[in-house]
Amino acid sequence: MTDQDLKGIVATLPELVRVRPQRGLTGFAPSGRVATHQWGANRSVYRGRGMEFAESRLYQPGDDVKSIDWRVTARTGQTHTKLFQEERERPIVILTDMRAMMQFGTRNRFKSNLAAEVAAMMAWTGHDGGDRVGGLVMTREGLRDFPAARTRRSVLGLLEALSEETRLERPLGTEATLANALRRLRHRNRPGTLAFVISDFSDFGDEAETELRHLAVNAHVTNIHVSDPFDAALPSRGGRLTDGEHALAVSALGGRKLERYAHEFEARKERLETVSRHHGMVCHFLQTPDDPSWILHPHLNRSMAA
C-alpha cells in the first residue's frame, strides 16, 4: 500500500511539516496554556531558577552581597552588582504515546495519527518561539528519547520518529507503561519546563497519577487526552473490531462487558480531569473526528470536515 492508501493511519513526515503554524503566530504564553493561547514572543515563567545575567552596575546600598560581580569589581576598583532577568528560553518536552492501543480508530484517523499531528504542532510552535524542543516517544517496543534543542534538525528528528511509529509494521516488544514514561520525563525535567503529555491514558492508574502530580511540581503540564468514539462506548449491536488479522464481533462481548468498558473509560477521563484541575495542569480532550488545530485556535470548530 502507498501512504495515500493509509491516509489517516500513517502520518508522513511532509504532513507533520505542513502542520507548522503560520510564522509570526508562534510561541507559548508564559502560563504554557494552549486553547487559551497568547501568541508572540513571551518571557518564560520559571519556578526557582531560570534567571540569566543581564548586566552589571555600581553597587547600591541594599543590594544583595551575594550578587556582587567580583570580576568587574576587581577590574574597575569599584564594587559592582550583577543584575538578572528571566530567561526567555525554556525547554519544551513532548511525551507522545504511540503504543499499540493508540493504533486504533473508527472515525477519520487513528489515535496515533492524531497524536503525531498534535505533537508536531506543539514542537513547531515551541521551536518558532525560540524555545528548545525535545520529546519522549512511547513506542510498541519501549521509549525513544530526544534531548531538547533549538535546531530545526532536532525538530525534524522528533517528527520523523513520530511518523515511523504510525506505521503498522513497526516491531513489537515490551511497551513502557505511562507511569515509567512520566517518571523518565520528570527526572530529565528542569524547573520551568513546559511539558505536553499526549496519550489515550489507557493505563492511567495510581502510579501514573503519582508521577503526573510530581511532574507538575516543577513543570507547566498540559495533558492532551486522545480518544476515538468507540473508546467511550462500543456499539451494542453490529460492528466488528479487527487488528488486520483477527476480528471480533462486538455483540459477542455481552451487555455487562460493554457497560464496564464504557464505565472504565469515563472513570479514567474524569480522574485525569480532576487531577489536572487540583494540581494546576491544563487538560484537553480530543477525539479522532476533531480538528487538532482547535488546540491552538479555540475560535475554530472542533470538528473536521467529513
Side-chain angles (χ1 to χ4, degrees), residues 139-297:
T139 76
R140 281 158 277 182
E141 58 174 353
L143 278 172
R144 299 178 67 177
D145 198 333
F146 297 84
R150 280 190 292 179
T151 65
R152 186 174 185 272
R153 175 180 293 182
S154 66
V155 173
L156 291 176
L158 174 60
L159 301 192
E160 185 173 12
L162 291 170
S163 174
E164 290 173 356
E165 296 303 329
T166 62
R167 297 186 178 276
L168 300 177
E169 70 276 8
R170 296 296 293 169
L172 300 176
T174 302
E175 294 184 340
T177 65
L178 180 60
N180 286 338
L182 290 169
R183 187 177 301 114
R184 172 86 70 88
L185 183 62
R186 177 168 61 87
H187 286 164
R188 61 173 283 181
N189 172 45
R190 59 169 289 183
T193 293
L194 179 56
F196 291 95
V197 181
I198 306 170
S199 173
D200 63 359
F201 292 86
S202 58
D203 57 341
F204 186 60
D206 292 343
E207 189 179 1
E209 179 184 327
T210 298
E211 292 297 336
L212 191 60
R213 287 191 282 106
H214 289 334
L215 177 64
V217 172
N218 290 313
H220 302 287
V221 181
T222 296
N223 298 309
I224 301 177
H225 182 281
V226 174
S227 65
D228 183 84
F230 269 32
D231 285 332
L234 293 171
S236 59
R237 62 179 62 182
R240 295 189 308 162
L241 298 176
T242 179
D243 60 2
E245 296 182 2
H246 308 91
L248 171 68
V250 176
S251 58
L253 295 175
R256 288 188 177 181
K257 287 186 177 181
L258 292 177
E259 288 179 7
R260 186 169 68 248
Y261 180 87
H263 174 74
E264 289 174 352
F265 174 83
E266 287 301 325
R268 287 195 306 271
K269 185 176 176 181
E270 182 177 342
R271 183 177 191 175
L272 176 64
E273 189 171 26
T274 300
V275 171
S276 298
R277 183 172 62 253
H278 288 172
H279 295 275
M281 293 178 277
V282 182
C283 188
H284 297 300
F285 297 93
L286 280 177
Q287 287 197 325
T288 49
D290 292 338
D291 182 349
S293 298
W294 171 83
I295 288 287
L296 297 180
H297 304 282

Side-chain angles (χ1 to χ4, degrees), residues 12-13 25 35 40 62 85 90 92 97 99 102 108 119 130 133 137 184 195 197 214 231 237 241 281 283 304:
T12 66
L13 182 58
L25 299 177
Q85 64 183 10
R90 61 180 164 187
I92 292 174
D97 188 349
R99 295 175 297 174
M102 295 290 288
N108 291 28
V133 178
V137 181
R184 172 86 70 88
V197 181
H214 289 334
D231 285 332
R237 62 179 62 182
L241 298 176
M281 293 178 277
C283 188
M304 300 180 68

Side-chain angles (χ1 to χ4, degrees), residues 9-26:
I9 299 176
V10 173
T12 66
L13 182 58
E15 288 173 341
L16 297 182
V17 171
R18 285 196 293 269
V19 302
R20 187 176 190 172
Q22 293 181 355
R23 301 302 295 269
L25 299 177
T26 55

